[in-house]
Amino acid sequence: MAGVRVPYGAARSVAACAEDAEKGPKKPPVFINKFKKPDSPVRIRLSRRGKHKAPFYRIVVQDSRRIPQGRFLENVGFYDPLKTTGKVSLNIDRIKHWIGEGAKPSQTVARFLELVGIETA
């Protein structure tokens, strides 16, 4: 044995392979996706309209992969923040329909729906 040269770490790797073989098949690692998209790509959210320094928002049902000012599936209400109390108009029947279909409201729209008494989650 004195004349046989073993590469550095070779004896350790052989022993490690023997230990792994005794433990059985190796399980694949569990992958947790922190950036998972919502189950349904349909969202109920605000779309900004109006002039400079005079915002006016439509409440629209839209694919979440589109930009907020882009094409939408349906217009279900509006929000005018410049009124003294902030005027909100909602088509409750259509909003309930879309929530039943799996649409998720944004945080602001969810707050409006809670005021009306619609459960979002």
Side-chain angles (χ1 to χ4, degrees):
M1 280 287 192
V4 179
R5 292 189 57 157
V6 179
Y8 177 75
R12 168 63 187 97
S13 64
V14 171
C17 290
E19 289 175 9
D20 290 341
E22 292 173 7
K23 292 180 182 177
K26 193 172 184 181
K27 294 181 182 177
V30 177
F31 179 70
I32 300 172
N33 187 356
K34 295 179 184 177
F35 305 104
K36 183 182 177 196
K37 296 286 183 184
D39 295 334
S40 173
V42 179
R43 303 283 293 191
I44 303 172
R45 63 185 182 189
L46 298 176
S47 174
R48 190 182 195 279
R49 301 285 181 215
K51 298 185 289 185
H52 179 67
K53 293 191 177 182
F56 181 85
Y57 297 93
R58 285 183 182 173
I59 299 171
V60 296
V61 179
Q62 188 177 35
D63 190 331
S64 64
R65 296 168 288 195
R66 293 193 177 275
I67 61 171
Q69 286 77 23
R71 193 171 74 193
F72 55 87
L73 301 172
E74 187 175 355
N75 185 9
V76 293
F78 67 87
Y79 168 53
D80 190 358
L82 294 182
K83 300 288 182 189
T84 55
T85 58
K87 184 174 181 179
V88 179
S89 174
L90 300 171
N91 187 344
I92 295 173
D93 295 334
R94 294 306 296 167
I95 290 174
K96 286 182 180 179
H97 165 77
W98 281 108
I99 289 175
E101 292 289 323
K104 306 280 187 212
S106 67
Q107 289 181 345
T108 307
V109 174
R111 195 172 68 228
F112 293 152
L113 296 178
E114 286 176 10
L115 293 174
V116 176
I118 297 175
E119 289 293 325
T120 58

